[in-house]
Amino acid sequence: MAGTTGYPQAGDFTARLSAVAKSVEGFLGERLGDAVQAGEIARPPRLMEAMRHAVLNGGKRLRPFLAIETARMLGGPFEGAMAAGAGVELVHCYSLVHDDLPAMDDDDLRRGQPTVHKKYDEATAILVGDALQTLAFEIVADPAWQADPLIRSELVLGLARASGLGGMVGGQLLDLGAEGRFGPANLDVDATLQLQAMKTGAILAFSVDAGALVGGASPEERRALLSYGRALGQAFQVADDILDREASSEAMGKRTGKDKDAGKATLVDRLGLDGARAECERLVGECETALKPWGEAAATLCEAARFTVARKS
C-alpha cells in the first residue's frame, strides 16, 4: 500500500500503540536536545531539562497515535503524520504543565513523577509550557516535514483553534468556573458536555483531523473522521471521569478523586457511574458508525475507541 513507508509495522493494537509511542518519543527527544538549532540564539540548559521532564516521561501518546493511524489508513506520508502528531502532543504536554500549577489544579504528580513546578519551580513551569506551545507550532509549520504549504497552514489553523480560546483553553476556564471560583455554578448535562468538548475533546478531534489532512482526505471523508474524533474525545473524557472516581493514584500516576473534591462538573455526577458507562458505549458505537466507509482499513481506529473507554489509567 502506498504511503506505508516509515510507519511502525507492529501487529495487534497494543503492539501498534506501543510502537507508535516509541517512535513519537524518539522524534520528540530529538527536538528537545541541547544543540542550538537554526534561527535560535541559545537553549538555556534549565529550560531544556525541564521541558524534557515534562515531555519524555512516558505516556500512551494517544493523540499522535490518532494522527499517525488516520494518515496511515489514508496512505499519507509518515513524516508529515509524525510532525503533526508531535505538534499536538507538545500542546497536550504544555497544557498538563500549566494545569498542574498551584493556581490551576495544584497537582504534585504527573505520570508517576513530580510535576514540573514541584521538581523545578512555578516560574520555570510557566516558561516550559510557553516553550512547548511555541515549539509545537514551529514543528507543524516546518516545511521539512510537510512540503505542501496549504496543508501546513490548515494544520496550524486547526491546532490553534482546537487549543485556544474556543477549544482547550476556553474549556479550562469553564472548568475552573464549574468549581465555583468565579461565583455559584451548577452546570447541567449540556453545559458539562460543552465544557468537556472544549477542554479535552477539541484536541483529540483535531488529532484525527490532522491525520486526515496529511492523508489527503476529501471533504466528505474529513467530515466522517471529524465525527469519529468528536465522539472519541467525548468518550475519553467520560472514561477519565470514571477513572477519577474508581482508579487508584498508583494506577493513574496522579492524584485521583480530585474532581469530586474540587466540585468539578462531570457526567458521572450528572448521570451516575452506570449512566456514564452506558454513555461511553454509545459513543464507541458512534465512532464505529463514522468509520464504516473504510471497512477493515479502519480496524485500528475502531480499536482506539474501544481502548479509550476500557483503559485503566
Side-chain angles (χ1 to χ4, degrees), residues 7 42 51 66 83 90 139 201 225 231 258 268 271 302 309:
Y7 286 97
M51 289 172 72
L66 292 170
L90 288 173
I139 291 171
L225 288 166
K258 61 179 183 178
V268 173
L271 303 177
C302 284
V309 300

Side-chain angles (χ1 to χ4, degrees), residues 21-75:
K22 184 176 179 180
S23 294
V24 170
E25 191 94 357
F27 183 90
L28 292 172
E30 291 175 2
R31 311 281 85 73
L32 292 170
D34 290 324
V36 177
Q37 303 298 300
E40 297 177 348
I41 297 172
R43 288 193 162 198
R46 180 180 179 83
L47 180 63
M48 300 313 302
E49 180 185 319
M51 289 172 72
R52 288 190 289 267
H53 178 77
V55 175
L56 306 179
N57 57 4
K60 293 176 285 292
R61 311 297 184 192
L62 179 61
R63 291 153 189 82
F65 179 81
L66 292 170
I68 288 167
E69 286 300 317
T70 301
R72 184 180 70 87
M73 181 182 75
L74 298 171

Side-chain angles (χ1 to χ4, degrees), residues 156-198:
V156 169
L157 179 62
L159 183 56
R161 285 177 171 166
S163 61
L165 60 92
M168 182 185 72
V169 172
Q172 288 177 322
L173 189 283
L174 293 177
D175 195 39
L176 294 176
E179 296 176 11
R181 292 201 189 192
F182 316 125
N186 186 20
L187 275 62
D188 60 16
V189 171
D190 288 342
T192 301
L193 287 171
Q194 182 187 68
L195 182 164
Q196 294 181 342
M198 293 171 68

Side-chain angles (χ1 to χ4, degrees), residues 275-311:
R277 291 192 187 96
E279 179 66 3
C280 279
E281 290 304 314
R282 186 189 71 79
L283 290 165
V284 169
E286 274 193 28
C287 289
E288 293 172 342
T289 297
L291 293 173
K292 279 186 177 178
W294 289 275
E296 281 302 309
T300 300
L301 291 179
C302 284
E303 194 67 27
R306 290 189 284 271
F307 167 81
T308 292
V309 300
R311 63 198 167 90

Side-chain angles (χ1 to χ4, degrees), residues 153-275:
S153 66
E154 288 277 0
L155 288 169
V156 169
L157 179 62
L159 183 56
R161 285 177 171 166
S163 61
L165 60 92
M168 182 185 72
V169 172
Q172 288 177 322
L173 189 283
L174 293 177
D175 195 39
L176 294 176
E179 296 176 11
R181 292 201 189 192
F182 316 125
N186 186 20
L187 275 62
D188 60 16
V189 171
D190 288 342
T192 301
L193 287 171
Q194 182 187 68
L195 182 164
Q196 294 181 342
M198 293 171 68
K199 182 184 178 184
T200 304
I203 284 288
L204 279 161
F206 174 72
S207 301
V208 177
D209 195 38
L213 284 165
V214 172
S218 68
E220 183 178 0
E221 289 174 327
R222 278 186 72 186
R223 284 192 291 271
L225 288 166
L226 189 58
S227 294
Y228 163 80
R230 285 173 174 163
L232 182 91
Q234 189 177 337
F236 182 96
Q237 184 58 61
V238 178
D240 217 44
D241 292 342
I242 294 171
L243 285 169
D244 186 70
R245 295 295 176 87
E246 295 190 328
S248 67
S249 297
E250 290 75 21
M252 293 292 285
K254 61 181 180 179
R255 178 165 53 99
T256 56
K258 61 179 183 178
D259 289 350
K260 184 176 181 180
D261 293 343
K264 287 183 179 292
T266 74
L267 282 189
V268 173
D269 292 319
R270 305 301 180 262
L271 303 177
L273 280 167
D274 288 342

Side-chain angles (χ1 to χ4, degrees), residues 83-84 86-91 131-141 159:
V88 177
E89 184 68 4
L90 288 173
V91 166
L132 291 175
Q133 182 188 44
T134 52
L135 180 60
F137 283 95
E138 179 181 337
I139 291 171
V140 170
L159 183 56

